[in-house]
Amino acid sequence: MITYARMSNQRWDGASYDRVSNIQQEWAAAIIARLELEGSETVLDAGCGSGRVTEQLLEALPRGRVIAVDASPSMVEAARERLLGDPANEGRVAVELVDLVDLDLDEPVDAVFSSATFHWIRDHERLFARMHAALRPGGRLVAQCGGEGNIAGLRGRVARVMAREPYAGHFAGWEPPWNYAGAQESERLLTAAGFDRVRCWLAEAPSVPNEPREFLSTIVFGPHNQRLPQELREPFMDDVMATLGDDVTIDYVRLNIDAVA
């Protein structure tokens, strides 16, 4: 049984994410390749988003099955619309509304795949324990998320906008919702959770989105916009885009995770 539990504070627009998440799709292809699937496995997509990446995963599993979970109702709605309406996916994919730190599956899976999700979860100790519990002995966890130093330069530039009126008061005492972890600490937590053959590494991945404003508003600065009243969100993004000018390169740093249960 999958346990439905408390949801993340991060609120997503699944339709907007689906439109602009080309960068995340590109990352996912490399992560799926690292899984080295035979094609008949059952795989957990831990943080499926709008289902675009889940489609890539299903292509690598012609005889297999995917359990796709996400903590965002909007994302789950978008993923169900994308995946469950396709007759080719009948019996091959389930899409569930689940917080990963409370995940409880009926039976273990052969592999856990995750792309651009783990950094949205603050408690990695509990997260990794649940991922280990979801896997059969010898099953693989292959994941990538934001790591130490992720978007540090971009955040520094936008901090100047956040410090201005009329925005400053809305960011007073704000703690960002992400956990950009380092490789060494992640290896320690994964080992403590029971994983073997653990390998974590950081990689720079500077990227320029196709639709800069919507991408930044939805994905990078979504948590910032949610701190603001509706009437200040568009002016805030106007000021962000003016500050960035022609340089909208996002200085991504990715934390890669490979481990065996």
Side-chain angles (χ1 to χ4, degrees):
M1 175 183 180
I2 294 178
T3 299
Y4 298 83
R6 67 182 185 276
M7 309 310 299
S8 167
N9 290 330
Q10 173 68 9
R11 298 186 303 277
W12 291 96
D13 181 338
S16 180
Y17 185 91
D18 192 73
R19 285 193 298 271
V20 301
S21 56
N22 291 341
I23 292 171
Q24 283 73 14
Q25 276 193 291
E26 293 172 7
W27 291 337
I31 307 166
I32 292 169
R34 283 182 12 224
L35 275 170
E36 299 178 345
L37 296 167
E38 295 179 358
S40 58
E41 296 91 341
T42 297
V43 179
L44 173 69
D45 184 351
C48 66
S50 64
R52 292 181 72 182
V53 167
T54 314
E55 283 186 327
Q56 294 176 258
L57 191 55
L58 283 165
E59 290 176 4
L61 292 163
R63 302 174 306 283
R65 182 168 178 265
V66 175
I67 301 171
V69 304
D70 203 282
S72 163
S74 179
M75 290 291 203
V76 167
E77 181 181 358
R80 285 176 174 164
E81 183 176 350
R82 172 179 290 277
L83 299 169
L84 300 186
D86 186 344
N89 293 334
E90 186 173 355
R92 300 183 58 229
V93 60
V95 183
E96 305 290 353
L97 180 67
V98 183
D99 193 315
L100 289 177
V101 297
D102 295 298
L103 180 73
D104 185 14
L105 301 179
D106 277 339
E107 295 185 1
V109 296
D110 299 305
V112 172
F113 159 90
S114 187
S115 177
T117 296
F118 286 177
H119 60 267
W120 293 112
I121 298 170
R122 299 297 295 268
D123 188 350
H124 281 191
E125 182 176 8
R126 182 168 177 175
L127 168 67
F128 294 154
R130 298 319 305 155
M131 296 302 96
H132 187 271
L135 283 162
R136 64 166 176 78
R140 294 186 64 199
L141 167 63
V142 176
Q144 186 190 90
C145 62
E148 185 176 17
N150 192 55
I151 62 171
L154 189 64
R155 282 186 287 137
R157 295 165 71 188
V158 172
R160 297 194 292 271
V161 180
M162 295 166 62
R164 300 178 198 160
E165 295 300 339
Y167 315 119
H170 298 284
F171 292 108
W174 180 51
E175 282 194 31
W178 48 71
N179 177 3
Y180 296 144
Q184 186 174 356
E185 174 66 5
S186 297
E187 288 182 350
R188 184 187 70 79
L189 291 176
L190 286 158
T191 301
F195 283 99
D196 192 14
R197 286 180 273 168
V198 176
R199 180 176 175 237
C200 298
W201 69 99
L202 296 171
E204 295 183 359
S207 303
V208 178
N210 293 336
E211 301 289 341
R213 184 185 178 108
E214 187 175 9
F215 187 97
L216 292 171
S217 178
T218 299
I219 297 177
V220 179
F221 299 122
H224 302 69
N225 278 322
Q226 289 169 23
R227 295 284 297 187
L228 297 169
Q230 192 68 44
E231 64 271 16
L232 288 182
R233 294 180 182 180
E234 288 302 319
F236 175 73
M237 288 307 303
D238 288 341
D239 289 345
V240 166
M241 298 308 295
T243 296
L244 298 180
D246 293 331
D247 181 10
V248 292
T249 301
I250 304 172
D251 53 329
Y252 279 123
V253 177
R254 312 314 292 166
L255 171 64
N256 293 278
I257 296 172
D258 281 8
V260 177

